[in-house]
Amino acid sequence: MPAHNTTTGYGAVSKALHWAIAALVLTMIPLGLVAVEWRYDTSDALATKALLFSIHKTLGVAVFFLALVRIGWMLGQPRPVPLRPERRLETALAEGVHWLLYVSLVAVPLSGWVQHAAAAGFAPIWWPFAQTLPFVPRSADVAAAAGAVHATFTKLLMAALALHVAGALKHHLVDRDGTLARMLPGRLASAATAPVPVQRRALAPVLGALVVYGLVGGAVVTLAQGGGDTDARPGVALPATPVAATSSSWIVESGELTFTVRQMGSPVTGRFARFDADIAFEETPDADGRHGFVTVAIPIASMTLGSVTEQARGPEFFDAESHPAARFAADIVAAEKGGGEGGEAGGEEGGYRAQGTLALAGAEVPVALPFTLDIVDGVATASGTVTVDRRDFGMGESYPDEATVGFSVEIGVSLTARRGGAGEGA
Ligand code: HEM
Ligand code: HEM
């Protein structure tokens, strides 16, 4: 069988790529559907879910590259002419569906890959290069939008595939022509073996497929951004309501509150999209050495942790239903003053410590958060990290070792705040 296509038949390369990709895609679809539905209420179930997703993603990335090879090959080849060209509508429909499939083969894996790169972590792709993508930020917003696009594009792919297979079967069973036979392996590609000039391709079906994808993708992204619940707007701290608008109170303008835990050996970072912070701070300490205080209220519903968000919110971990908010209340002292754990910023210029209590998931644990502070023109930039142990909060008791979920959780906070003197706080 010749490697190249002719105007009447498919060559070995086109056939091999067609059936290899078909087999992969027909595996990927049920795998994706099953992986999404897989329960994860025990450590074993979670490990299986992660395994299903790792297989799904790893094969999916392979489909992406095979699809690029396939499209490149197709563009340089003659295309076998339709066997029933007189049926113009049917031919145009078949052609349009082919293009929907070609676009799907790129758009579906790419959207999944963008979701993975933006969400970070859970269920790694086994190709060594594939965890991140250029231009894709780590962002729960981007991950959610890409996930919605991926789920929708897979439905488009399934619809196109159903039409495609129905068409192939109709040719075979009703029209009884050679359309299916000429795509099957092992058959002669055509009587003519000499290469023939590349045919002109009609532009309309290509544009049609791209327009369908553009419109559907655009609509999904718009809905994902605008229509989402208001709890899920990551990276933006709610403006704090100062306890009293004095010259020492500060209004948080932006901020990020993250936590990082090792999941199956790889670090995964979760975020709280919202937190309310009351901050009072003076450069000069009072008689007790206090520079001020901070109180932070954190709605657990605004937390995301990749694809295990629901599980993290559940009773085993954050237990959002019984304890819908976490609260950190602390005094701000200079880092070098006083004892206590975690004094990394101690002794440094601009080093402070928020020393207090973190109430989370029904437990109250003393926490000292070292942070650096930089005040320029009335705008403060602060950032710090502290490591806590999930077991102190009674979290993940049915995960008694670190194989699935690590014990240490690194909390990271960074924010900018404006001095909210009297008159400015309105
Ligand atoms: C995910 C799975 C599949 C994908 C992505 C896919 C994609 C495609 C594409 C893009 C073409 C057009 C090739 C060209 O450029 O000329 C094609 C042709 C074809 N496919 Fe599929 N296909 C899939 C599965 C199947 C299955 C399951 C069947 C059989 C039931 C099938 C039967 C055919 C036939 C017969 C042709 C040749 C049509 C013709 O000669 O005009 N395909 N396929
Ligand atoms: C041809 C390639 C692919 C196909 C056919 C495919 C198909 C699917 C399907 C059918 C689902 C279930 C959607 C739902 O109803 O919720 C799914 C989910 C998912 N896929 Fe893929 N996928 C492909 C490639 C990829 C790749 C390359 C990645 C990542 C690198 C990926 C990551 C995911 C993720 C993370 C989900 C869960 C989405 C969610 O959060 O609901 N997929 N995929």
Side-chain angles (χ1 to χ4, degrees), residues 141-157:
D141 252 355
V142 174
V149 167
H150 186 64
T152 308
F153 280 4
T154 56
K155 308 296 179 298
L156 258 180
L157 165 64

Side-chain angles (χ1 to χ4, degrees), residues 47-407:
T48 309
K49 188 179 178 82
L51 179 71
L52 291 174
F53 265 118
S54 279
I55 299 172
H56 178 84
K57 293 173 180 180
T58 305
L59 291 179
V61 169
V63 170
F64 175 76
F65 288 110
L66 273 178
L68 294 186
V69 171
R70 169 145 194 219
I71 290 168
W73 178 257
M74 175 270 292
L75 291 174
Q77 291 287 299
R79 292 186 85 193
V81 289
L83 292 178
R84 309 249 171 190
E86 69 285 1
R87 298 183 186 167
R88 298 184 60 164
L89 188 64
E90 214 179 290
T91 309
L93 183 67
E95 184 89 333
V97 168
H98 286 167
W99 281 104
L100 271 183
L101 289 169
Y102 278 128
V103 179
S104 295
L105 291 182
V106 174
V108 167
L110 194 58
S111 52
W113 201 354
V114 169
Q115 183 196 14
H116 173 86
F122 176 70
I125 297 172
W126 291 328
W127 303 112
F129 57 86
Q131 304 311 328
T132 55
L133 276 175
F135 312 116
V136 175
R138 286 269 155 94
S139 146
D141 252 355
V142 174
V149 167
H150 186 64
T152 308
F153 280 4
T154 56
K155 308 296 179 298
L156 258 180
L157 165 64
M158 288 184 227
L161 193 55
L163 285 172
H164 180 66
V165 172
L169 292 179
K170 174 183 174 281
H171 275 286
H172 194 65
L173 300 173
V174 179
D175 302 336
R176 294 176 184 272
D177 62 25
T179 302
L180 179 57
R182 73 178 179 176
M183 186 45 104
L184 291 178
R187 309 282 178 121
L188 275 183
S190 90
T193 48
V196 290
V198 174
Q199 270 187 298
R200 279 195 61 216
R201 291 187 170 80
L203 206 55
V206 187
L207 291 179
L210 287 173
V211 167
V212 168
Y213 264 87
L215 288 177
V216 173
V220 174
V221 169
T222 312
L223 285 174
Q225 279 171 351
D229 59 358
T230 46
D231 281 344
R233 220 170 294 134
V236 182
L238 288 183
T241 324
V243 190
T246 66
S247 61
S248 69
S249 60
W250 292 75
I251 297 170
V252 176
E253 294 192 316
S254 65
E256 196 173 44
L257 181 58
T258 62
F259 60 99
T260 302
V261 59
R262 293 189 82 79
Q263 216 177 36
M264 320 232 167
S266 308
V268 189
T269 297
R271 295 194 154 64
F272 291 92
R274 294 170 56 136
F275 53 93
D276 252 318
D278 284 335
I279 302 173
F281 177 83
E282 290 283 4
E283 280 93 336
T284 322
D286 66 13
D288 298 327
R290 288 189 344 150
H291 287 265
F293 68 87
V294 55
T295 322
V296 190
I298 310 155
I300 302 300
S302 76
M303 182 270 296
T304 48
L305 179 59
S307 46
V308 288
T309 299
E310 283 310 315
Q311 193 203 23
R313 285 182 194 166
E316 178 75 33
F317 290 95
F318 283 90
D319 197 6
E321 203 163 301
S322 311
H323 307 285
R327 188 179 166 81
F328 179 54
D331 287 336
I332 300 175
V333 296
E336 60 274 16
K337 295 223 177 80
E341 61 271 61
E344 287 142 49
E348 276 175 32
E349 190 69 15
Y352 293 92
R353 201 171 61 235
Q355 176 130 15
T357 306
L358 175 60
L360 172 64
E364 291 200 2
V365 175
V367 167
L369 167 75
F371 65 95
T372 54
L373 180 67
D374 201 16
I375 302 178
V376 179
D377 295 336
V379 175
T381 310
S383 72
T385 59
V386 62
T387 300
V388 297
D389 188 319
R390 67 170 163 89
R391 293 168 297 179
D392 294 343
F393 298 89
M395 287 190 176
E397 276 168 355
S398 63
Y399 299 80
D401 59 32
E402 298 197 271
T404 314
V405 188
F407 294 144

Side-chain angles (χ1 to χ4, degrees), residues 1-7 9-14 73 76-78 189-190 192-196:
M1 194 200 314
H4 290 266
N5 294 357
T6 68
T7 45
Y10 290 97
V13 176
S14 295
W73 178 257
Q77 291 287 299
S190 90
T193 48
V196 290

